Amino acid sequence: MKNYITLSDIDNLENLISEARSLKSKNTVPDLGKGKTLGMLFFNSSLRTRLSTEKAAKLLGMEVMTMNVDKDGWTLEFEDGAVMNSDKAEHIKEAAAVLSQYCDIIAVRAFPGLKNKEKDESEQVLNSFKKYASVPVINLESATGHPLQALTDAITIQELKKKDKPKIVLSWAPHPKALPQSVPNSFTEMMQKLDVEFVITNPEGYDLNPEIRKETRVEHDQEKAFENADFIYVKNWSSYENYGQVLNVEKNWTVNQKKLEPSNNAKVMHCLPVRRNMVIADDVLDSENSIVIHQANNRTFAAQAVLKQLLKDED
Amino acid sequence: MKNYITLSDIDNLENLISEARSLKSKNTVPDLGKGKTLGMLFFNSSLRTRLSTEKAAKLLGMEVMTMNVDKDGWTLEFEDGAVMNSDKAEHIKEAAAVLSQYCDIIAVRAFPGLKNKEKDESEQVLNSFKKYASVPVINLESATGHPLQALTDAITIQELKKKDKPKIVLSWAPHPKALPQSVPNSFTEMMQKLDVEFVITNPEGYDLNPEIRKETRVEHDQEKAFENADFIYVKNWSSYENYGQVLNVEKNWTVNQKKLEPSNNAKVMHCLPVRRNMVIADDVLDSENSIVIHQANNRTFAAQAVLKQLLKDED
Amino acid sequence: MKNYITLSDIDNLENLISEARSLKSKNTVPDLGKGKTLGMLFFNSSLRTRLSTEKAAKLLGMEVMTMNVDKDGWTLEFEDGAVMNSDKAEHIKEAAAVLSQYCDIIAVRAFPGLKNKEKDESEQVLNSFKKYASVPVINLESATGHPLQALTDAITIQELKKKDKPKIVLSWAPHPKALPQSVPNSFTEMMQKLDVEFVITNPEGYDLNPEIRKETRVEHDQEKAFENADFIYVKNWSSYENYGQVLNVEKNWTVNQKKLEPSNNAKVMHCLPVRRNMVIADDVLDSENSIVIHQANNRTFAAQAVLKQLLKDED
């Protein structure tokens, strides 16, 4: 593995999931990371990603240097050939090249603006780091994907599934703000790689990018989608067709206990942070159906497996 | 010890003070903290608490992850049953449960709003962490108490006292802003546990919460209170009766050399940061009467003793 | 070496450069820094300095505690005798004394205001730390100097020079904002210490402080200055005569390939961050003439050599 920017960077998913589960259960291998430095760059807020990735790196013996880029450092210019006569103080070409000398792996979080589909899909920030860095780059959630979360989700499903081919439903849920499609995109791509029955349910107008959805069944009737579901992954996202918009439809998509009735006593997942009683009701989050805390714990081991693989393949 | 949230969490104060003094003088026990992580969460500014607690944890071999919660992470919702349709992105239930998986001990700083006495006294932030975290919680100064500071103060007095039962005076002093009662509250509670003669002096209108003060003598004449004092702890606080108000009375309570004359060449303490020439005059802070720097150094060893106890009792 | 605040703190420059180059090529000496803590205090933004100094300290086995002073801590008062009745919560006297107890070395970044020459030249922040701290102080770029950068520059020139006495030109270049003279000041002082032919070129009105410039030749014709240059160090600075002003003259001083023609295929240096196509054109930065990335890498080893020397001389 050279980078971990999209799920396609994974050489062998089965091995990576096994590695994460093994790291979770046994002692660590601190020698591998000794003398190596992880640089974490945040263009946006983070709690789980920040702390679980830092913890994962330290469990491997690495040093970690964290920066809130725009607040602690310099505003970066990403345009090639720009005349830098305004507010951008440093070009990504220099920043990425210099950071590659101070860090052995660079991890970057950069959310989409949700204003301009083409710009967001170009993944300018992450791809610029990939282009100009000489060390591996990890995606800590970018404009269109969150592959560390998707790996976490795969680990969690593998751990907790009770049948060979469980039914997994990804359900849209309401939210007051316009949110990225990164998490549902990567979850969809991950489910397409696993031996599961996968269905997406969302109101009309919220269908995900068809290039990511591909042949995955989309069911606009949430109740029908939940029938016999073993896992229900709840998540809000803004419209892809009306790019970045909140359509103000279907307020009754909040997932509560009543909605779980047609399911196979489904385990409920969410990447967190979750808006209680908007996205998922208290009666689900506070019940045994919820596995969101268990799932969040696996963030550490997903990150650890990815870091370990990158370190091994660098040597 | 299961948490360190109030002084009542201390099982054996004498032992804890001895432990801190012993940690100060001898080498550390880095194995105890090895592989353990302290998560420090700041809802407010900090210099001494941040650095001394980080240092204490590292002296025990722990890893430390620090977050300015609202700036780096997500704004937290603390109300049970809230419909999270506005600015709060994550509920304390999830945040505390997730952090308990990434951290072995969670330390939290959350000041009072000083607008609503009942709300402040409910200690919502700290008590929510205590309720929903599954690991020990340390109070890094909360709405109504600062027990790490009080332990520091006890250590300092034990170290520097020249008689068995010294006279200790807690003196109010002027300040341009409304400050919490956390430090004087915890200092008062700590003095009540030690074998000292303890007097509080403050202008009328500034009496501390009677439930904390209890039988402690309050003297509204500062000069009289200072007579034969061995230690004078200077600190501003806002009114408890007129909750959170600055009453704009008694500007002449600044502690200067002249005021120390009736004392027993008193050692002057303050938790820092101290406003020079408002709270304490230069002629005291720059004199040998001041032990504020010595006192600040003990923050590290107070934190180390508490962390060590929590780690030991967790095993 | 007791501090590293100006270049005059260096006891033996040749040895220090050798030490840095040796640290760069061989393994580290982690025992020297074990149990020691570097406190880094930022009053201004930083990327390279923050990360390279943190990395250098960790390569020596030190722990690092970083604070954005004004954002994470308390606003500091630097005036002696001030009545602290307004926005400053803590006096440098206490802050420096307390930090000296938590840290074995203190490193400080504090830029000039560029409004008041006398105030900037007094180096109030840095000199206050030097005065009140009881541990060594490192300058991470102050109002008038950046000696860690200058040491980096000396290392880089020693590494890459092809003749015994190379010609080095420091060239002013345009920039939309008023920048400090710290980097050109320290670079000038460093060049005066090395066996090089050193010329400064800048538009009229931009001559550096004569007390720093001393006998160094200043050439107001950039083309003439570049003749046979082996190294060209490009950097913007604001006017010293019209203190802190951008004079809006000579927009054609941007360094591009055409300007390098009269040089001896000069290597182009810059401390970074660099404004592309304002200060240096893409055709230089993306060419083999540019050594800015190589130069930035040496920041780590300059910092490591300084930290090592301070630790050794403290023992």
Side-chain angles (χ1 to χ4, degrees):
Chain A
M1 195 153 61
K2 208 189 153 317
N3 295 289
Y4 189 68
I5 290 181
T6 70
L7 295 183
S8 61
D9 290 317
I10 299 175
D11 299 321
N12 184 321
L13 178 59
E14 205 181 328
N15 286 0
L16 197 63
I17 293 175
S18 296
E19 177 67 33
R21 295 183 65 178
S22 151
L23 285 164
K24 187 175 181 178
S25 63
K26 74 171 178 210
N27 282 334
T28 58
V29 274
D31 277 354
L32 189 64
K34 216 169 179 182
K36 305 276 187 179
T37 300
L38 170 68
M40 294 208 292
L41 306 179
F42 288 92
F43 291 84
N44 306 93
S45 291
S46 173
L47 184 145
R48 264 155 296 278
T49 297
R50 176 189 291 260
L51 297 183
S52 64
T53 311
E54 180 171 345
K55 173 138 197 200
K58 288 177 171 170
L59 284 174
L60 291 170
M62 300 183 81
E63 296 288 354
V64 179
M65 305 197 294
T66 302
M67 274 191 76
N68 298 315
V69 185
D70 289 345
K71 277 182 268 180
D72 301 340
W74 308 103
T75 306
L76 295 181
E77 172 66 66
F78 289 94
E79 297 296 340
D80 221 21
V83 178
M84 292 170 63
N85 60 1
S86 154
D87 59 324
K88 313 286 181 60
E90 173 141 45
H91 199 281
I92 179 66
K93 286 188 186 181
E94 276 72 51
V98 169
L99 287 166
S100 298
Q101 297 178 129
Y102 301 159
C103 305
D104 299 280
I105 297 176
I106 296 173
V108 179
R109 163 165 285 198
F111 289 173
L114 291 180
K115 299 272 154 71
N116 180 328
K117 189 193 285 192
E118 284 66 36
K119 194 176 172 221
D120 288 350
E121 294 190 339
S122 76
E123 291 282 12
Q124 192 182 38
V125 175
L126 198 66
N127 283 334
S128 298
F129 274 99
K130 184 180 174 183
K131 184 170 178 187
Y132 296 115
S134 55
V135 297
V137 174
I138 292 178
N139 181 346
L140 296 176
E141 187 172 347
S142 67
T144 66
H146 195 350
L148 274 179
Q149 181 65 50
L151 179 57
T152 302
D153 301 337
I155 295 165
T156 307
I157 288 169
Q158 296 290 49
E159 278 181 336
L160 300 179
K161 70 180 182 180
K162 285 177 182 160
K163 59 174 72 142
D164 279 350
K165 189 172 171 153
K167 179 179 176 185
I168 318 276
V169 182
L170 169 62
S171 176
W172 183 93
H175 194 284
K177 292 173 68 178
L179 294 193
Q181 292 120 22
S182 328
V183 169
N185 282 350
S186 289
F187 185 73
T188 297
E189 290 177 318
M190 182 57 90
M191 288 309 104
Q192 289 164 353
K193 289 173 186 287
L194 297 183
D195 187 24
V196 297
E197 182 194 343
F198 181 51
V199 181
I200 305 174
T201 182
N202 54 251
E204 303 213 17
Y206 281 103
D207 288 2
L208 290 168
N209 181 354
E211 288 180 30
I212 286 168
R213 243 188 313 135
K214 294 197 179 97
E215 303 304 311
T216 296
R217 180 184 146 210
V218 177
E219 171 58 65
H220 292 134
D221 178 341
Q222 194 188 34
E223 190 176 339
K224 204 165 155 197
F226 282 9
E227 276 170 19
N228 298 311
D230 296 296
F231 292 86
I232 297 173
Y233 198 105
V234 192
K235 181 77 186 82
N236 171 268
W237 58 87
S238 58
S239 176
Y240 183 77
E241 297 161 48
N242 292 283
Y243 189 70
Q245 299 300 302
V246 175
L247 305 181
N248 285 313
V249 294
E250 313 287 351
K251 286 292 181 199
N252 59 343
W253 279 62
T254 304
V255 174
N256 56 29
Q257 274 295 350
K258 188 156 178 36
K259 296 225 173 136
L260 299 186
E261 282 171 13
S263 80
N264 183 24
N265 192 22
K267 298 192 184 309
V268 175
M269 303 176 73
H270 190 284
C271 59
L272 304 184
V274 60
R275 302 257 180 164
R276 283 178 167 252
N277 304 313
M278 275 296 286
V279 174
I280 307 180
D282 282 345
D283 66 4
V284 171
L285 281 167
D286 296 334
S287 77
E288 298 211 338
N289 291 92
S290 169
I291 57 169
V292 300
I293 304 301
H294 180 105
Q295 180 186 0
N297 193 31
N298 283 333
R299 290 295 308 271
T300 302
F301 310 106
Q304 208 181 337
V306 165
L307 287 165
K308 189 176 168 187
Q309 194 63 44
L310 291 172
L311 287 172
K312 272 164 82 179
D313 292 352
E314 230 185 346
D315 280 349
Chain B
M1 196 153 63
K2 207 188 153 318
N3 295 288
Y4 189 67
I5 290 180
T6 70
L7 295 183
S8 61
D9 290 318
I10 299 174
D11 299 321
N12 184 321
L13 178 59
E14 205 181 327
N15 286 359
L16 197 63
I17 293 175
S18 298
E19 176 68 32
R21 294 184 64 178
S22 152
L23 286 164
K24 186 175 181 176
S25 64
K26 73 171 179 209
N27 283 334
T28 58
V29 274
D31 276 355
L32 189 63
K34 215 170 178 181
K36 305 277 186 179
T37 300
L38 171 67
M40 293 208 292
L41 306 179
F42 288 92
F43 291 85
N44 306 94
S45 291
S46 172
L47 185 144
R48 264 156 296 277
T49 297
R50 176 189 290 260
L51 297 184
S52 65
T53 310
E54 180 171 344
K55 174 141 196 197
K58 288 177 172 170
L59 285 173
L60 291 170
M62 299 183 80
E63 297 287 354
V64 179
M65 305 198 292
T66 302
M67 273 191 77
N68 298 314
V69 185
D70 289 346
K71 277 183 269 179
D72 302 340
W74 308 103
T75 306
L76 295 181
E77 173 67 65
F78 289 92
E79 297 297 339
D80 221 22
V83 178
M84 293 172 62
N85 58 1
S86 153
D87 59 323
K88 312 288 181 60
E90 174 140 45
H91 199 281
I92 179 66
K93 286 189 186 181
E94 276 73 49
V98 170
L99 287 166
S100 298
Q101 297 178 130
Y102 301 160
C103 305
D104 299 279
I105 296 177
I106 296 172
V108 180
R109 164 163 284 196
F111 289 173
L114 291 179
K115 299 272 154 72
N116 179 328
K117 189 193 285 192
E118 284 67 37
K119 192 174 173 222
D120 288 350
E121 294 190 338
S122 76
E123 291 282 13
Q124 192 182 37
V125 174
L126 199 65
N127 283 334
S128 298
F129 274 99
K130 184 179 173 183
K131 184 171 177 186
Y132 296 115
S134 54
V135 298
V137 174
I138 293 178
N139 181 348
L140 296 176
E141 187 172 347
S142 67
T144 66
H146 195 352
L148 274 180
Q149 181 65 51
L151 179 58
T152 301
D153 302 336
I155 296 165
T156 307
I157 288 168
Q158 297 289 51
E159 278 180 336
L160 300 179
K161 70 179 183 184
K162 285 177 180 160
K163 59 174 74 143
D164 278 351
K165 189 172 172 155
K167 180 179 176 184
I168 319 276
V169 182
L170 168 63
S171 176
W172 183 93
H175 195 284
K177 292 172 69 178
L179 295 193
Q181 293 120 22
S182 329
V183 169
N185 282 349
S186 288
F187 185 72
T188 298
E189 290 177 319
M190 181 55 90
M191 290 307 105
Q192 289 164 350
K193 288 173 187 286
L194 298 183
D195 187 25
V196 297
E197 183 194 344
F198 180 51
V199 181
I200 306 173
T201 182
N202 55 250
E204 303 214 16
Y206 281 104
D207 288 3
L208 290 168
N209 181 354
E211 287 179 31
I212 285 168
R213 244 189 311 135
K214 294 197 181 96
E215 304 303 310
T216 295
R217 180 183 146 211
V218 177
E219 172 57 67
H220 292 134
D221 179 340
Q222 193 187 34
E223 191 177 339
K224 203 165 155 197
F226 282 9
E227 276 170 19
N228 298 313
D230 297 296
F231 293 87
I232 297 173
Y233 198 106
V234 192
K235 182 76 188 79
N236 170 269
W237 60 86
S238 58
S239 175
Y240 183 77
E241 297 161 47
N242 292 285
Y243 189 71
Q245 299 300 303
V246 175
L247 305 181
N248 285 313
V249 294
E250 313 288 351
K251 287 292 181 198
N252 60 342
W253 278 62
T254 304
V255 173
N256 56 29
Q257 273 295 351
K258 188 156 177 41
K259 295 227 173 135
L260 298 186
E261 281 171 14
S263 80
N264 182 24
N265 191 22
K267 298 192 184 310
V268 175
M269 303 176 74
H270 189 284
C271 59
L272 305 182
V274 62
R275 300 257 181 165
R276 282 179 167 252
N277 303 313
M278 275 294 287
V279 174
I280 307 180
D282 282 344
D283 66 3
V284 171
L285 281 168
D286 296 333
S287 77
E288 297 211 339
N289 291 92
S290 168
I291 56 169
V292 300
I293 304 300
H294 180 106
Q295 180 186 359
N297 193 31
N298 284 332
R299 290 295 308 272
T300 302
F301 311 105
Q304 209 181 338
V306 165
L307 286 166
K308 190 177 169 186
Q309 194 63 44
L310 291 172
L311 287 173
K312 271 163 83 178
D313 291 353
E314 229 185 346
D315 281 349
Chain C
M1 196 153 61
K2 210 189 152 317
N3 295 289
Y4 189 68
I5 291 180
T6 70
L7 295 183
S8 61
D9 290 318
I10 299 175
D11 300 320
N12 184 321
L13 178 59
E14 204 180 329
N15 286 359
L16 197 63
I17 293 175
S18 297
E19 176 68 31
R21 294 183 64 178
S22 151
L23 285 165
K24 187 175 180 177
S25 63
K26 75 173 178 208
N27 282 335
T28 59
V29 274
D31 276 355
L32 190 62
K34 216 170 178 180
K36 304 277 186 178
T37 299
L38 170 67
M40 294 208 291
L41 306 179
F42 289 92
F43 291 85
N44 306 93
S45 291
S46 173
L47 184 145
R48 263 156 297 278
T49 297
R50 175 189 289 260
L51 297 183
S52 64
T53 310
E54 180 171 345
K55 173 138 197 200
K58 288 178 172 171
L59 284 173
L60 291 169
M62 300 183 81
E63 296 287 354
V64 179
M65 305 198 293
T66 302
M67 273 192 75
N68 298 314
V69 185
D70 288 347
K71 275 183 270 179
D72 301 340
W74 308 104
T75 306
L76 294 181
E77 173 66 66
F78 289 93
E79 298 297 338
D80 221 20
V83 178
M84 293 171 62
N85 59 2
S86 151
D87 58 324
K88 312 288 181 61
E90 173 140 46
H91 199 282
I92 179 66
K93 286 188 186 181
E94 277 72 50
V98 170
L99 287 166
S100 298
Q101 297 178 130
Y102 301 159
C103 305
D104 299 279
I105 297 177
I106 296 173
V108 180
R109 163 163 285 197
F111 289 173
L114 292 179
K115 299 273 154 72
N116 179 327
K117 188 194 286 193
E118 285 66 37
K119 194 176 171 219
D120 288 350
E121 294 190 339
S122 76
E123 291 281 12
Q124 192 182 38
V125 175
L126 198 65
N127 283 335
S128 298
F129 274 100
K130 183 180 174 183
K131 185 170 177 186
Y132 296 115
S134 54
V135 297
V137 174
I138 293 178
N139 180 347
L140 296 177
E141 187 173 345
S142 68
T144 67
H146 195 351
L148 273 181
Q149 180 66 49
L151 179 57
T152 302
D153 301 336
I155 295 165
T156 307
I157 288 169
Q158 296 290 51
E159 278 181 336
L160 300 179
K161 71 180 182 181
K162 286 178 180 159
K163 59 174 72 145
D164 278 351
K165 189 171 173 156
K167 179 177 177 185
I168 318 275
V169 182
L170 168 62
S171 177
W172 184 93
H175 194 285
K177 294 172 66 178
L179 294 194
Q181 292 119 22
S182 328
V183 169
N185 282 348
S186 289
F187 184 72
T188 297
E189 290 177 318
M190 182 56 90
M191 290 308 104
Q192 289 163 351
K193 289 172 186 286
L194 297 183
D195 187 25
V196 298
E197 182 195 342
F198 181 51
V199 182
I200 306 174
T201 182
N202 56 251
E204 303 214 17
Y206 281 104
D207 287 2
L208 290 168
N209 181 354
E211 287 180 32
I212 285 168
R213 243 187 314 135
K214 296 198 180 96
E215 304 303 312
T216 295
R217 179 183 147 212
V218 178
E219 171 58 66
H220 292 134
D221 179 340
Q222 193 188 32
E223 191 177 339
K224 203 166 154 195
F226 282 8
E227 276 170 19
N228 297 311
D230 296 297
F231 292 86
I232 297 173
Y233 198 105
V234 192
K235 181 76 186 82
N236 170 269
W237 59 87
S238 58
S239 176
Y240 183 77
E241 297 161 47
N242 292 285
Y243 189 71
Q245 299 299 302
V246 175
L247 305 181
N248 285 315
V249 295
E250 313 287 352
K251 287 291 181 199
N252 59 343
W253 279 62
T254 303
V255 173
N256 55 29
Q257 273 295 351
K258 188 157 178 39
K259 297 225 174 136
L260 298 187
E261 282 171 14
S263 81
N264 183 23
N265 192 21
K267 298 192 185 308
V268 175
M269 302 177 74
H270 189 284
C271 59
L272 305 184
V274 60
R275 300 257 181 165
R276 283 179 167 250
N277 304 313
M278 275 296 285
V279 175
I280 307 180
D282 282 345
D283 66 4
V284 171
L285 282 168
D286 296 333
S287 76
E288 297 212 338
N289 291 91
S290 169
I291 56 169
V292 301
I293 304 301
H294 180 106
Q295 180 185 359
N297 193 31
N298 284 332
R299 291 293 309 271
T300 302
F301 310 105
Q304 208 181 338
V306 165
L307 286 165
K308 190 176 169 188
Q309 194 62 43
L310 291 172
L311 287 173
K312 272 163 82 178
D313 292 352
E314 230 185 347
D315 281 349

